[in-house]
Amino acid sequence: MIEQDGTGGPLLDRHVAFVHALREAGLPVSLAEGLDAAKALTVIDLAERETLREAYAATLVKRLQHRPGFDALFDLWFPPVISDGYGTARPAPGGGPAERPPPLEPSEASAPPDPSELAELRERLADLLMGDPDDPAFRAFARSMVERFGKVRAAGNRQSWFSYPVLRALSPQTLIARMLDRLLAEQGRAERGGLPEKLARHQISRNIRKFEEAVASDVRRRIAEESGTEKIAKATVAPPIDRVDFLRMTKDELARLRREVYPLARRLATRLTVKQKRGHRGRLDFRRTVRASLSTGGVPLTTHLRPRRPHKPELVILCDASDSVAAFSHFTLLLTFALREQFTKVRAFAFVDIVDEITTLFHPGADVLDAVLRLTKEADITRFGRTNYGHVFTSFAERYGDAIGPRTSLLILGDARSNYQPPALETLGRLAGEARHAYWLNPEPRPQWDTGDSVATSYAGIVPMHECRNVTQLAAFIEDLA
């Protein structure tokens, strides 16, 4: 039985809620892993908060990019201190003997700081930033500064906690020059510049980020105590990159996504190759079959097949590059860039209301961001700027029909919204019939299909259509191909 925590509730309930919060945030935590974590709690010292954190991380976190979200949720469910309802704080279960100065009264906390007091606080912050950010005094100071500056009267005469007034009051970034001089003086260097300054600046910047994270963590803790841990947890952790919708991705998220694309491209190529190999067993080797039948009186009991020549499949990609799916088209171009190395031949086409081949933009050695920029400037893919799938399929059949053959896999990427224009279903059916495989990936949620100008179901009756809003769904589609 897991011990009771200091709030009077069973730690087991807190464990279950924490694991559930991780799953809600998109971290893949299985039932078996949750049980492993619960068993780990029985063999560690629960009073050592960092030991508790690492025990959970070792049993529940599988990918490095999931660690920041895990740490943020851990700080909510297992805070270093908790308030007792009177504004004071005491160590939380597993939080260790953390201390904090007595809080200020709300009227005093909202008063502007005295210049001499502020100078003293900034000097104390500079001393801490030059030391070890893992020192308990470092986080204790951050908590005291949130208590001093973090409570702000919001709209409706309601008070809440914020990080911005704390960082604005202390302005840690403006302390960098002073700390650099002190660090270099301690090293016996009178002049700035060179490697020593770069190392010192890196250390100071890292510690400032640690302080900002400590302030943000304590702000979240206080809001969670007032509004509920479950509520703040949903807004605290951004979903992992593999669960972010393509249609809502930012430029930074697209850059991070580049690392996810190449493994998926290799898996997609492998799945399509396997499906081709299963298509037929190979041609009969007549000579070997007859020779083997001599041992059975001329009866060919065993047939021999000619070994099939291994080859990569061919791929044709039709990519919607309209503004409504701009982020998705950027991802699909990343995928196209990665796929060109996995297939014996890849031909890529982009379209809005007309279609143009963009294969040459993805030549070996090209940068994918340059390819995207060239696509917007050089590709002939728009006349009126309104997506017209029917006209695109007709134009593709007329201009590039020979691109599709019995060894070709056709992959269509788009939202199937054709601005109420004729969908050219017969033309799409003919193209899909000439290809060995045909698939359609749609970045819109399935409930939005067939709403407005969408003709998703009509196209799905010809080409199997799959909802593909994020990397997780793309990986699931690739697994289904097997």
Side-chain angles (χ1 to χ4, degrees), residues 322-323 352-353 381-388 419:
S322 59
D323 292 339
V352 175
D353 52 0
I381 58 176
T382 180
R383 296 178 302 169
F384 307 111
R386 298 172 61 86
T387 312
N388 187 336
N419 288 291

Side-chain angles (χ1 to χ4, degrees), residues 55-383:
Y56 268 121
T59 51
L60 301 180
V61 180
K62 294 185 282 292
R63 306 185 68 179
L64 182 62
Q65 55 264 45
H66 293 161
R67 184 60 191 257
F70 164 84
D71 285 331
L73 290 175
F74 180 87
D75 290 338
L76 285 176
W77 292 100
F78 302 94
V81 295
I82 58 175
S83 301
D84 59 6
Y86 298 96
T88 56
R90 58 187 172 86
E99 297 293 341
R100 188 174 63 178
L104 302 170
E105 296 296 330
S107 59
E108 185 181 351
S110 59
D114 180 80
S116 60
E117 175 199 4
L118 186 57
E120 182 180 347
L121 292 175
R122 282 167 52 83
E123 188 64 28
R124 172 61 176 159
L125 176 59
D127 292 338
L128 291 171
L129 290 174
M130 293 178 63
D132 183 4
D134 294 327
D135 186 345
F138 188 89
R139 289 189 174 273
F141 180 79
R143 291 194 294 269
S144 67
M145 292 300 97
V146 173
E147 184 75 35
R148 177 67 178 87
F149 301 107
K151 199 164 190 177
V152 177
R153 193 178 303 278
N157 206 31
R158 180 177 178 272
Q159 291 185 335
S160 187
W161 300 94
F162 297 91
S163 300
Y164 174 72
V166 180
L167 302 177
R168 181 183 60 185
L170 298 176
S171 300
Q173 295 289 345
T174 62
L175 298 173
I176 293 180
R178 181 193 311 178
M179 289 186 288
L180 279 175
D181 290 337
R182 288 174 56 181
L183 281 176
L184 294 175
E186 290 175 0
Q187 298 173 5
R189 296 179 178 272
E191 297 182 359
R192 299 277 291 272
L195 181 60
E197 181 181 345
K198 290 182 179 180
L199 295 176
R201 188 180 294 274
H202 174 76
Q203 175 187 343
I204 294 171
S205 299
R206 181 195 61 189
N207 290 351
I208 289 176
R209 289 194 300 270
K210 292 279 188 180
F211 178 74
E212 293 171 348
E213 292 169 2
V215 169
S217 177
D218 195 62
V219 167
R220 288 194 295 266
R221 175 189 68 82
R222 294 170 184 272
I223 296 176
E225 289 180 350
E226 296 177 357
S227 305
T229 304
E230 293 84 356
K231 182 178 179 180
I232 190 63
K234 293 180 179 180
T236 295
V237 181
I241 188 64
D242 56 354
R243 291 180 179 269
V244 177
D245 280 7
F246 292 131
L247 298 182
R248 297 186 178 93
M249 278 191 170
T250 64
K251 291 183 178 180
D252 291 340
E253 288 170 336
L254 281 170
R256 291 166 52 200
L257 193 63
R258 296 177 69 175
R259 294 190 295 270
E260 305 287 335
V261 168
Y262 285 90
L264 290 173
R266 289 192 294 269
R267 286 159 59 187
L268 177 59
T270 301
R271 295 297 183 267
L272 293 176
T273 303
V274 169
K275 291 181 74 69
Q276 276 201 315
K277 290 181 178 179
R278 290 176 180 173
H280 63 84
R281 298 175 58 193
R283 296 182 178 180
L284 177 68
D285 190 330
F286 183 77
R287 178 176 298 178
R288 292 179 61 200
T289 302
V290 171
R291 186 178 301 164
S293 69
L294 297 179
S295 61
T296 56
V299 179
L301 297 180
T302 304
T303 58
H304 292 268
L305 303 177
R306 294 179 179 176
R308 299 183 67 250
R309 294 182 178 179
H311 63 273
K312 296 180 181 179
E314 298 176 0
L315 181 66
V316 169
I317 298 177
L318 277 173
C319 172
D320 186 345
S322 59
D323 292 339
S324 62
V325 290
F328 180 61
S329 65
H330 284 188
F331 165 76
T332 56
L333 292 173
L334 284 172
L335 182 64
T336 302
F337 192 79
L339 286 173
R340 84 190 194 285
E341 299 178 356
Q342 308 300 326
F343 292 80
T344 185
K345 181 187 295 185
V346 175
R347 296 186 67 178
F349 302 85
F351 65 87
V352 175
D353 52 0
I354 54 176
V355 62
D356 191 17
E357 184 166 7
I358 58 173
T359 307
T360 57
L361 301 182
F362 298 93
H363 60 82
D367 183 83
V368 65
L369 297 181
D370 291 340
V372 172
L373 182 61
R374 289 184 58 191
L375 168 66
T376 59
K377 293 182 177 181
E378 300 177 16
D380 184 18
I381 58 176
T382 180
R383 296 178 302 169

Side-chain angles (χ1 to χ4, degrees), residues 30-69:
S30 67
L31 177 61
E33 290 165 344
L35 293 174
D36 289 342
K39 292 178 182 178
L41 301 188
T42 64
V43 297
I44 65 172
D45 184 358
L46 295 178
E48 295 292 337
R49 182 168 176 267
E50 290 308 311
T51 301
L52 179 65
R53 182 196 299 270
E54 295 309 319
Y56 268 121
T59 51
L60 301 180
V61 180
K62 294 185 282 292
R63 306 185 68 179
L64 182 62
Q65 55 264 45
H66 293 161
R67 184 60 191 257

